Amino acid sequence: MKSFTAMVGLASRKSLDLVENMIHMKNTIFLGFAFFFLFSCSGNKETADKVFVNGFIYTVEDDQPTAEAVAIKDGIILAVGTTEEIEAFVGNETETIDLQGKTMTPGLIESHAHLMGIGYNKLDIDLMYVKTYDELVEKVAEAASKAEPGEWITGRGWHQDKWIEMPNQTVNGFQTHDELSAVTPENPVYLAHASGHASFVNKKAMELAGITPLGSENLKQEVEGGEVIRDEIGNPTGVLVERASGLVSRLIPKDTPERAEKALELALKELAEKGITSFHDAGGNQDLIDLLEKFKAEGKLTARMYVMLSSRIPELIEAWYKKGPKIDPDHMVTVRSIKLNMDGALGPWGAWLLEDYEDKPGSRGHETMPIDLVTQVAEKGLELGFQVNSHAIGDRTNREVLDRYEAAFAKFPEAKDHRFRIEHAQHLHPDDISRFGELGVIAAIQAIHLSSDRPWAIGRLGVKRIKDGAYVWQKLLGSGAVISNGTDAPVEPVDALPSFYASVSRKTLKMTPEGGYEPDQKLTRDQALKSYTLAGAYAEFEEDFKGSIKVGKAADFTVFDQNIMEIPENEILNTKVMMTVVGGKTVFKAE
């Protein structure tokens, strides 16, 4: 009896001889059969539904970092290789997409943003790009001219530190409401800060909320974890910080189901156009989860969703404790994490610091929820299988959260694969940087915040704290930590390319300064791409299913018109997304 090895060798030689003879035949049907037969003998028995050929493909896989073509079947990657190799998977029913030299990467994963906020930003007044207070007032006045008396006017995106000039009258670094109120006498106005950690309201809104001058009989008490900004004689300025915003926001009529669906449709369209195939929603409620499930059932969900439950809704958390995590076998709507909001933002001086703000002596920001909540939720999460993701911007908050994570890990040593996260991890004390890697805590950063905030952040923190512990990405990677990337949209546009540019250049979007801020902390392009793909997948326990272009993984791809891994740095911002593919389906294609 021939040995098994000999038999395999004989079969291989016969297969090759057959192919060589067939190559001389002019009939293309027989040629196709020859290729099929050859690959059948080597273990392949499948024909692709779709192939992408003639591209420059970055796989984010160390053993095969680049390729030219990909074959997929039933939404899963069937083969990765050269165009010639992948053509062997083409059958009569196969769709062939010629990339024509364009660049393909794994589908981009936005690891921290707010889905409905993106959609509502398109329905409400978008203030992200206003340059002055006067421009803000003009936009609101235009909306008021089209509104019915008493109708709420809402918007989001203003940021006083990004204005090219401040109004004449300011209190604590913020504008006052007088000009806003003058153009909206009949309509309550609520304008969320870009960070989501403050709001600006008019006189009508404050009257409805009972926010009155000091000494008034109906004075609203200050809110724990928030502040009503007042002038020197006690009059409210219209700026509400942190939880004080709830005094007004809770009065805004609830959205109709129709408006919520429209907002979700607009958000999903934006994700597809920006190449986002997976999305981590940083603080959802049950209404969002139900709406996502509805869209999934109707075939309208065009990105994979990973929802963090908002700790601002205690009854929501308790309900999910009882039923446990929801891990979707279809990988479309998964709920297995809890979002804790533990301090404010740097812009409104709300980030909780170990030492005073450089430009506001006597102030160190504050926690926005009782810090012991981290202990409670971390322990419950480890017990029940929920990941815990804590918003922490200031160095004090990061330290407090790490302390409580560490204690919880010690209490539940059997929970090895917790993958707890710190969202933002912007400003760290040098002593705490190594703890991310040591504890296995993921740093969910938003590199674009450096571009937007670094020019003024040095005024808040001073040179030493900026140099030692702000946006310290290489130091975090050096600790062994995983870094996932995102935008925190709608704080910033949900566009990965500016964030990718910020990751590798550490410059503003005006391409300054030369060499970038603290250039030793730049990410390499490989690191930046991984932070937007495989690391994002790891941060949601999905690295075996997506995040890289590998046989057996999901066919989630983003295609660019330029090679973002090789073009000059400043050309990255001119790059465009040409195609977005989720589970093998094209959800966006540029004209």
Side-chain angles (χ1 to χ4, degrees):
M1 176 181 270
K2 293 185 177 74
S3 70
F4 178 76
T5 303
M7 291 174 67
V8 171
L10 179 61
S12 298
R13 285 195 299 275
K14 288 181 177 179
S15 297
L16 290 171
D17 290 340
L18 178 60
V19 172
E20 287 173 359
N21 291 332
M22 283 182 159
I23 285 175
H24 297 292
M25 300 177 69
K26 295 181 181 180
N27 191 320
T28 57
I29 296 176
F30 285 106
L31 181 59
F33 176 77
F35 276 106
F36 173 79
F37 187 74
L38 172 62
F39 276 86
S40 294
C41 290
S42 60
N44 173 59
K45 297 181 180 179
E46 297 189 83
T47 299
D49 297 331
K50 189 178 295 186
V51 296
F52 298 82
V53 298
N54 297 323
F56 207 110
I57 299 172
Y58 290 91
T59 68
V60 197
E61 285 288 334
D62 292 339
D63 59 348
Q64 187 184 14
T66 60
E68 294 177 343
V70 178
I72 65 175
K73 184 178 180 64
D74 299 326
I76 300 297
I77 297 170
L78 185 62
V80 182
T82 65
T83 294
E84 184 179 5
E85 289 168 343
I86 296 304
E87 283 175 350
F89 291 84
V90 175
N92 291 334
E93 304 295 321
T94 303
E95 178 185 0
T96 299
I97 297 171
D98 189 345
L99 294 173
Q100 300 179 329
K102 296 182 180 66
T103 295
M104 175 189 282
T105 69
L108 300 177
I109 299 175
E110 166 62 66
S111 71
H112 181 110
H114 306 273
L115 187 64
M116 297 305 285
I118 296 168
Y120 283 128
N121 233 29
K122 295 182 175 296
L123 293 175
D124 297 332
I125 306 173
D126 186 355
L127 301 171
M128 189 176 293
Y129 300 104
V130 299
K131 299 299 183 186
T132 65
Y133 178 39
D134 288 343
E135 187 180 347
L136 178 149
V137 172
E138 288 172 9
K139 280 184 169 288
V140 175
E142 181 182 357
S145 69
K146 302 172 185 177
E148 297 292 329
E151 183 181 346
W152 279 84
I153 295 172
T154 57
R156 177 170 178 161
W158 64 273
H159 196 308
Q160 77 286 356
D161 284 304
K162 297 180 184 179
W163 292 345
I164 58 176
E165 62 182 41
M166 286 293 288
N168 293 329
Q169 186 176 355
T170 61
V171 175
N172 284 8
F174 291 105
Q175 70 281 6
T176 61
H177 72 88
D178 303 279
E179 292 179 50
L180 177 69
S181 296
V183 299
T184 55
E186 302 296 329
N187 299 91
V189 177
Y190 180 90
L191 308 174
H193 192 269
S195 67
H197 291 269
S199 60
F200 184 41
V201 301
N202 69 344
K203 181 179 179 181
K204 187 75 172 176
M206 287 188 283
E207 287 174 352
L208 292 173
I211 301 173
T212 55
L214 286 174
S216 301
E217 292 181 5
N218 297 322
L219 175 66
K220 281 281 184 186
Q221 297 298 310
E222 298 299 332
V223 177
E224 182 180 357
E227 181 183 3
V228 176
I229 302 295
R230 299 179 182 274
D231 63 20
E232 63 278 2
I233 61 174
N235 292 318
T237 64
V239 175
L240 310 174
V241 177
E242 298 297 346
R243 303 187 77 178
S245 293
L247 296 171
V248 174
S249 64
R250 67 190 179 200
L251 302 177
I252 301 172
K254 280 195 170 184
D255 279 312
T256 62
E258 293 77 18
R259 192 166 187 266
E261 289 197 22
K262 183 63 176 176
L264 180 53
E265 287 171 1
L266 291 171
L268 290 171
K269 181 174 182 289
E270 185 75 3
L271 298 190
E273 290 174 356
K274 295 299 187 289
I276 306 297
T277 60
S278 291
F279 186 92
H280 299 188
D281 188 85
N285 57 23
Q286 192 60 48
D287 287 345
L288 171 64
I289 296 166
D290 293 343
L291 189 56
L292 292 175
E293 292 284 11
K294 180 176 186 292
F295 269 50
K296 177 189 171 185
E298 295 172 352
K300 297 193 298 184
L301 194 57
T302 53
R304 305 181 191 278
M305 295 292 154
Y306 185 71
V307 180
M308 309 178 203
L309 299 164
S310 174
S311 62
R312 288 173 170 158
I313 314 171
E315 61 274 18
L316 175 73
I317 305 301
E318 290 298 327
W320 278 86
Y321 282 161
K322 292 176 183 177
K323 56 188 173 184
K326 174 191 175 298
I327 301 173
D328 185 1
D330 298 323
H331 304 272
M332 292 304 294
V333 183
T334 289
V335 185
R336 68 178 297 177
S337 62
I338 299 168
K339 165 77 179 299
L340 297 174
N341 297 80
M342 300 316 301
D343 73 345
L346 199 65
W349 295 271
W352 196 17
L353 305 182
L354 290 165
E355 298 177 6
D356 291 358
Y357 278 94
E358 190 81 4
D359 56 355
K360 198 172 183 181
S363 176
R364 297 188 177 188
H366 46 79
E367 58 185 310
T368 51
M369 290 184 164
I371 196 67
D372 286 341
L373 186 65
V374 179
T375 298
Q376 298 169 24
V377 175
E379 292 183 359
K380 203 73 173 175
L382 292 170
E383 179 185 352
L384 300 176
F386 285 99
Q387 181 189 50
V388 179
N389 306 338
S390 297
H391 165 114
I393 291 181
D395 53 5
R396 171 76 183 273
T397 323
N398 277 277
R399 175 172 291 181
E400 295 280 358
V401 170
L402 287 169
D403 286 348
R404 283 155 180 77
Y405 279 2
E406 185 172 15
F409 298 158
K411 189 171 181 179
F412 292 86
E414 69 282 0
K416 301 293 186 185
D417 194 25
H418 49 74
R419 304 194 195 186
F420 279 19
R421 296 165 43 163
I422 287 186
E423 309 299 306
H424 311 304
Q426 272 182 272
H427 310 295
L428 310 173
H429 189 280
D431 293 347
D432 294 320
I433 296 171
S434 64
R435 300 176 69 193
F436 281 80
E438 292 165 0
L439 296 173
V441 173
I442 296 165
I445 70 164
Q446 298 76 46
I448 188 62
H449 287 343
L450 176 132
S451 285
S452 296
D453 299 355
R454 173 60 180 79
W456 54 263
I458 194 166
R460 296 281 193 277
L461 298 174
V463 174
K464 184 172 182 0
R465 280 184 289 188
I466 284 284
K467 300 290 185 186
D468 291 347
Y471 316 102
V472 285
W473 307 328
Q474 284 297 345
K475 290 179 183 179
L476 283 165
L477 288 175
S479 79
V482 171
I483 286 180
S484 63
N485 215 329
T487 61
D488 203 8
V491 176
E492 304 279 356
V494 64
D495 189 344
L497 286 167
S499 202
F500 182 87
Y501 171 78
S503 301
V504 302
S505 73
R506 291 181 71 95
K507 296 178 182 178
T508 70
L509 299 188
K510 293 181 180 179
M511 304 182 185
T512 60
E514 185 68 29
Y517 292 108
E518 293 77 54
D520 62 311
Q521 294 303 304
K522 293 178 183 178
L523 297 181
T524 66
R525 297 200 197 193
D526 285 341
Q527 290 170 337
L529 181 59
K530 186 174 182 179
S531 74
Y532 250 108
T533 54
L534 193 56
Y538 177 87
E540 55 167 304
F541 300 87
E542 286 272 69
E543 74 277 10
D544 291 333
F545 176 74
K546 63 185 181 184
S548 64
I549 297 177
K550 180 180 180 180
V551 173
K553 286 193 174 185
D556 294 357
F557 311 129
T558 305
V559 179
F560 303 97
D561 66 343
Q562 298 191 90
N563 188 335
I564 61 171
M565 305 300 283
E566 293 188 1
I567 57 175
E569 187 178 87
N570 289 344
E571 287 295 312
I572 293 171
L573 292 176
N574 298 324
T575 302
K576 292 180 174 57
V577 172
M578 302 305 292
M579 187 184 301
T580 306
V581 179
V582 179
K585 296 179 181 178
T586 301
V587 298
F588 169 74
K589 187 175 181 180
E591 293 294 331

